[in-house]
Amino acid sequence: MKISTSTLRAVAVLGMVLACVAALGCSTPEPDTPTPSPSIVVEIGMTTDRVMAPLNIDFEAMDFTDGVSYFWDFGDGNTAAGTIARHTYLDAGAFVIRLSGTRGDQTEYAEKTITVQPGDAGWIVLNASELAIEANQTFQFQAEAFDHLGNAVSDAQLVWHADPAVGTIDQSGLFTAGQELAVAAEGVRVDFPRGNFTANEKLPVAVVLGEPTEISVMPDVIETRATWGVDLNAEVLDAAGHVIEDAEITWEVLRPGDDIDQTGYYTPSETISSPNASLVLLTATHGDSKLERIVKGTVNPGILDRIEVEGSLLELKTGDEVQLSAKGFDRFDNELELDDVSWEVDDPDVGSFDADGVFTASGKSGEFPEDMVRVRGFKDGVQVFALVPISVLPSKAVAIEFVNEVDSVPAGSSAPIPLRVLDEHGNAITDIDVYLEVTAGGTLTTSNVFKAGFEPGMYEDAVIARVLAEDTANGKLLEESTNIEVRQRSADYLAVDVIGPGGPVVYLINLANGDLTPISEEAESNEFIEDTPSWWPDGSRLVYSSDASGVREIYDIEPFTGEVRQLVTGENDLFMPAISPDSTKIAFVESTESGSHIFVADLDLDENGGIVGAVNAADARQLSSEDGIQNLFPYWSPDGDSVMFTSSNSDGRFRVTVADVAEEFGEILVEARAASGLAWHPDGVRILVSTEFPDGNGTRDALVLADLTTGDIEEIDVGGLKVGIAAIAPDGSEMSFVDEEEGALWLMDLDGTGRRRALGGQFQPTLTAWRPQPLEPPTPTSNALAGTADYYIPSEFHLETSQESAGTVSMVSKVLNETYQ
């Protein structure tokens, strides 16, 4: 400790006085006259004037005056007496030290200032204990620094740190939150270095979701078609783009008829919208916040479904030009703007289009097939077409043309007279009267068909056709003739099933006069089933099935006397009998609960070939082998060595089988799937089969003659009718068949000509059988059946013909000799 000079001096004087007194024993001298007191000296001495707290400082009164009382005021509320003092400053600041010297009533003062600075770092106080802040937002931290004694440090040098996971901070304490949501336990730290120590403060920071500011929708613009759903996905975002998962979203459509569920699946109605229309309203709610957004878009028409053509191509004349236009529509009748349109004409002789849809009629006329003219529309890779009906009016007639140069007609039968009247371009004229005259071989009926007589032969110019002069191009009468061959007919009666009021009845059609009579007087009135007729090979008797005994069994009848015999008996239903060509065997069908089978039995004959008695079905041999299916329609081959039959299962699939009955009984000789056997041709090598033919659109029904030796197939044109049951005449020239759709009975030459309807569908005909007896003139009325029908069925000669066979002109039946002498 440093001792001041005045103190040392005082100590020296005091030592001298004490030494004198001890050595000399001197007494105190008598004072002389009073002397004046010295002036009071007040002067402060201290070790420092600027330090850091805590400060220990020594004070001394310099050159103090004897007899003066000294008193210290340290400026911080503390005091002390004496010329020497020690004081510790804990508080920081500037303090004024006052030393007072007092002697009597005299006082002198001295002052000095000391600055006490804060000491070592103590702690920091921040304006937040934790921070939850939205992304990208800022927060200004405020910090108060204190030394370890609690003195505020105004000039503290603070160092700021931030966890990069939650944001950044500059050295002014400005914190900027990051983009991503995050939490950091020490998100912000501030360091306070001072003296020999560094204090710090840490606080957690969470970057949190903000208030909802936006509804995000994908897709944000709807582009769809009528009734085509769109899956909308929506999210509620804060200002930083974060998804607010717990926000509630509701959906609402803005167009009547549209629909949207609360998952956002939007289904427009059939009605299209204007472009950029308001379609869907979204409402988002989160706490007290509520947002709305409208999704706009366009509901376009649906897929191109059809096109409509404006303009008509009906009743054009050669050289006419017609402007056509096409519009596209979806299936809801919304119009589409087509990407492209093309115009097509199959036959350039009919006409042609230019690129703009202008049609120019060429020289060919007529009412053409419906697919002759087409317009195709294209939209978004989809194309559809529309057919444009077209008819071009022909010019005046210049010629008559018979379709058949020579027509072959069965004796007593009828046949249409197909012909065409042509204009100069070879077009058929449809609206013209043609006068017909039959000169030989038969007569002309009121239905304008040729009815053949009963005298076979070739008749030249048998039919003459005329067109009056006023209907021709040159004003002159047109005349043309055709030859007709009348051929012998191989059958005089046709047996047929007819479903009458009491059930199935077998009738005979007289092919000479068209009379329809039942096979017996009782047939129409009894309650028995009598059906599935066939003939003995010589045509003497008719074989059929009847349940007169309580179960269906096989009988035959002499139709002109009514004599009935039983041929086959059994415990189960028996039907569809067929006598072998040599008249010694019979094939039939036996039906049970599990299906039906074909059986063949030897007839019980005497030495003269007469029937001795009925055959028991139990003694017959089973020809078909597969159980659980329907085996039906047995037909004998002309040589009697095999039998053809048809099998069908529950799925309606058919199979025709030809099986041996001569050497290897039951051996399959021929088998064809997807076919039904109908009849055996008299030539013995061909069978008539109903089947399906593949074509470009799948399959189509067809009637064919199949050659069993070569495999050749010959299709027979039946005018688009579906044939279910058919029979061939004994000479193979004609056939009868039932149209499955209408149920009508048709007769037709086997070459596809002369198609005519014999019974209408109201009679529900089924199986037919030609009697193998030639038709001989005169009509065998002496063989009229017992009893007559209650109704008259016009003969085939008077019934309507199919449109294809009738021709396309109006034919007037008139004897022209009365007009043109």
Side-chain angles (χ1 to χ4, degrees):
M1 178 178 165
K2 184 178 179 181
I3 301 174
S4 64
T5 304
S6 59
T7 301
L8 295 176
R9 188 168 48 246
V11 172
V13 172
L14 179 58
M16 291 175 62
V17 172
L18 292 176
C20 179
V21 172
L24 301 179
C26 303
S27 61
T28 304
E30 290 291 331
D32 292 330
T33 58
T35 57
S37 300
S39 298
I40 298 175
V41 177
V42 179
E43 182 180 352
I44 299 174
M46 57 185 182
T47 56
T48 183
D49 63 359
R50 181 179 298 270
V51 292
M52 293 176 59
L55 172 63
N56 293 317
I57 189 167
D58 291 325
F59 296 96
E60 177 186 3
M62 300 295 294
D63 297 328
F64 61 87
T65 304
D66 294 336
V68 176
S69 296
Y70 288 92
F71 186 82
W72 299 87
D73 184 349
F74 299 117
D76 61 354
N78 294 301
T79 60
T83 58
I84 299 173
R86 169 172 284 189
H87 182 62
T88 301
Y89 285 93
L90 299 177
D91 296 329
F95 301 98
V96 177
I97 296 106
R98 170 177 284 189
L99 176 63
S100 61
T102 303
R103 185 175 56 199
D105 57 0
Q106 183 181 2
T107 300
E108 293 294 335
Y109 300 94
E111 292 182 349
K112 279 191 178 183
T113 300
I114 187 170
T115 300
V116 179
Q117 296 180 346
D120 291 341
W123 63 86
I124 306 169
V125 177
L126 298 177
N127 58 341
S129 60
E130 61 181 5
L131 180 62
I133 187 171
E134 297 177 21
N136 299 328
Q137 299 298 305
T138 61
F139 181 80
Q140 180 64 60
F141 280 100
Q142 303 291 335
E144 293 182 273
F146 297 89
D147 65 8
H148 65 288
L149 299 174
N151 298 307
V153 181
S154 59
D155 59 347
Q157 299 298 311
L158 302 179
V159 180
W160 297 89
H161 305 273
D163 190 327
V166 292
T168 60
I169 193 167
D170 65 16
Q171 292 310 304
S172 72
L174 180 64
F175 176 78
T176 301
Q179 172 69 26
E180 302 301 326
L181 302 180
V183 175
E186 297 183 5
V188 170
R189 188 183 88 241
V190 56
D191 293 337
F192 168 39
R194 186 173 180 83
N196 298 315
F197 191 75
T198 297
N200 58 56
E201 186 67 25
K202 305 168 186 175
L203 75 160
V205 175
V207 181
V208 298
L209 289 170
E211 291 298 314
T213 59
E214 177 188 358
I215 302 176
S216 173
V217 184
M218 289 298 292
D220 58 351
V221 176
I222 296 174
E223 190 75 23
T224 187
R225 299 181 185 273
T227 73
W228 280 28
V230 177
D231 197 4
L232 298 174
N233 295 286
E235 295 177 330
V236 180
L237 308 177
D238 65 7
H242 297 126
V243 178
I244 304 176
E245 299 287 353
D246 58 346
E248 181 181 355
I249 301 175
T250 58
W251 306 79
E252 180 182 350
V253 294
L254 299 178
R255 292 197 319 159
D258 291 358
D259 181 68
I260 192 167
D261 63 22
Q262 292 309 303
T263 68
Y265 190 77
Y266 168 68
T267 305
S269 66
E270 299 175 0
T271 306
I272 64 175
S273 74
S274 58
N276 200 34
S278 296
L279 301 178
V280 176
L281 172 65
L282 286 82
T283 302
T285 304
H286 184 253
D288 295 332
S289 299
K290 183 177 180 180
L291 297 176
E292 289 185 344
R293 174 169 178 174
I294 292 177
V295 183
K296 295 186 177 183
T298 305
V299 179
N300 298 295
I303 294 295
L304 179 63
D305 181 69
R306 74 178 197 282
I307 56 175
E308 293 182 359
V309 179
E310 294 183 352
S312 174
L313 297 183
L314 297 178
E315 297 186 352
L316 302 181
K317 296 180 181 178
T318 301
D320 280 354
E321 292 187 353
V322 179
Q323 174 69 65
L324 298 183
S325 61
K327 293 181 178 180
F329 297 88
D330 65 10
R331 62 189 179 96
F332 311 115
D333 294 328
N334 297 311
E335 185 175 349
L336 303 91
E337 183 178 351
L338 295 173
D339 296 333
D340 193 15
V341 178
S342 67
W343 305 87
E344 303 170 359
V345 184
D346 280 349
D347 188 347
D349 292 336
V350 173
S352 61
F353 281 102
D354 66 12
D356 296 325
V358 176
F359 177 81
T360 302
S362 300
K364 196 172 185 178
S365 68
E367 293 185 0
F368 301 102
E370 63 176 6
D371 59 349
M372 174 63 70
V373 178
R374 295 176 298 276
V375 55
R376 294 186 186 273
F378 301 84
K379 181 66 176 178
D380 297 335
V382 176
Q383 66 165 302
V384 297
F385 69 89
L387 304 178
V388 183
I390 180 172
S391 62
V392 180
L393 299 174
S395 53
K396 293 287 186 176
V398 297
I400 301 173
E401 180 183 86
F402 284 92
V403 175
N404 300 320
E405 182 177 350
V406 177
D407 198 4
S408 177
V409 182
S413 182
S414 59
I417 308 172
L419 58 81
R420 299 188 305 163
V421 179
L422 306 177
D423 69 1
E424 60 183 342
H425 301 290
N427 300 310
I429 303 173
T430 59
D431 57 345
I432 192 169
D433 290 334
V434 177
Y435 294 85
L436 299 177
E437 178 186 3
V438 174
T439 62
T443 60
L444 188 68
T445 72
T446 56
S447 299
N448 298 312
V449 296
F450 175 79
K451 177 183 178 181
F454 296 97
E455 186 66 32
M458 177 65 73
Y459 295 89
E460 295 185 359
D461 301 328
V463 178
I464 300 175
R466 298 183 178 92
V467 175
L468 300 183
E470 56 265 30
D471 293 330
T472 64
N474 55 11
K476 295 182 179 180
L477 176 72
L478 297 181
E479 182 175 289
E480 190 62 58
S481 65
T482 187
N483 302 329
I484 292 182
E485 176 192 9
V486 178
R487 69 176 188 270
Q488 177 64 50
R489 204 166 195 177
S490 61
D492 57 356
Y493 284 94
L494 185 69
V496 57
D497 278 347
V498 170
I499 308 299
V505 178
V506 177
Y507 286 86
L508 296 181
I509 299 177
N510 187 323
L511 294 178
N513 58 26
D515 286 344
L516 183 73
T517 53
I519 59 172
S520 68
E521 293 183 354
E522 300 82 11
E524 289 185 313
S525 59
N526 65 36
E527 298 180 355
F528 305 137
I529 293 176
E530 293 173 336
D531 61 1
T532 62
S534 66
W535 294 91
W536 281 82
D538 61 0
S540 61
R541 301 178 71 88
L542 184 73
V543 188
Y544 64 98
S545 173
S546 174
D547 66 350
S549 65
V551 64
R552 296 180 67 180
E553 297 177 316
I554 307 300
Y555 299 83
D556 74 351
I557 186 172
E558 211 292 337
F560 305 110
T561 65
E563 177 196 358
V564 176
R565 303 181 304 192
Q566 187 171 14
L567 300 182
V568 186
T569 183
E571 296 181 358
N572 299 312
D573 284 342
L574 311 175
F575 55 97
M576 293 186 178
I579 305 295
S580 65
D582 63 1
S583 300
T584 63
K585 297 180 178 64
I586 184 170
F588 58 89
V589 175
E590 180 185 54
S591 178
T592 64
E593 292 182 357
S594 62
S596 59
H597 278 288
I598 309 296
F599 286 83
V600 176
D602 292 329
L603 293 169
D604 192 2
L605 305 173
D606 60 20
E607 59 185 8
N608 297 320
I611 294 295
V612 174
V615 176
N616 194 309
D619 298 328
R621 303 174 67 187
Q622 181 176 317
L623 181 62
S624 56
S625 59
E626 188 173 353
D627 292 328
I629 64 174
Q630 301 295 324
N631 298 286
L632 303 170
F633 304 110
Y635 296 101
W636 288 90
S637 63
D639 60 9
D641 289 343
S642 54
V643 170
M644 174 176 66
F645 59 91
T646 297
S647 304
S648 63
N649 58 23
S650 58
D651 295 334
R653 290 177 291 179
F654 289 88
R655 180 177 73 247
V656 60
T657 302
V658 177
D660 187 353
V661 295
E663 297 179 0
E664 299 292 336
F665 187 88
E667 180 183 356
I668 296 176
L669 304 176
V670 175
E671 187 173 65
R673 299 186 181 275
S676 178
L678 304 178
W680 213 302
H681 194 277
D683 63 15
V685 298
R686 291 182 292 173
I687 56 175
L688 187 65
V689 175
S690 176
T691 184
E692 293 182 344
F693 269 4
D695 60 17
N697 298 320
T699 60
R700 59 179 175 84
D701 296 318
L703 185 69
V704 300
L705 275 172
D707 192 311
L708 299 179
T709 60
T710 65
D712 293 339
I713 292 178
E714 175 188 351
E715 185 173 2
I716 299 175
D717 180 16
V718 291
L721 302 175
K722 184 175 182 180
V723 178
I725 300 173
I728 298 178
D731 65 357
S733 65
E734 295 180 82
M735 63 178 291
S736 57
F737 66 87
V738 176
D739 168 23
E740 283 191 345
E741 294 182 351
E742 184 184 356
L745 175 64
W746 294 81
L747 302 182
M748 187 183 74
D749 289 353
L750 205 61
D751 63 2
T753 62
R755 187 165 55 251
R756 53 218 181 264
R757 191 166 67 175
L759 286 179
Q762 69 271 27
F763 298 104
Q764 301 183 53
T766 54
L767 286 177
T768 58
W770 298 78
R771 184 184 183 218
Q773 286 291 328
L775 179 64
E776 298 178 354
T779 304
T781 54
S782 59
N783 290 337
L785 303 181
T788 58
D790 293 334
Y791 45 83
Y792 173 72
I793 304 299
S795 75
E796 54 174 322
F797 315 117
H798 298 87
L799 294 181
E800 62 185 270
T801 59
S802 66
Q803 182 64 33
E804 293 84 355
S805 299
T808 57
V809 296
S810 173
M811 294 182 288
V812 182
S813 177
K814 182 179 289 186
V815 179
L816 296 182
N817 288 337
E818 298 176 359
T819 305
Y820 301 97
Q821 299 297 329

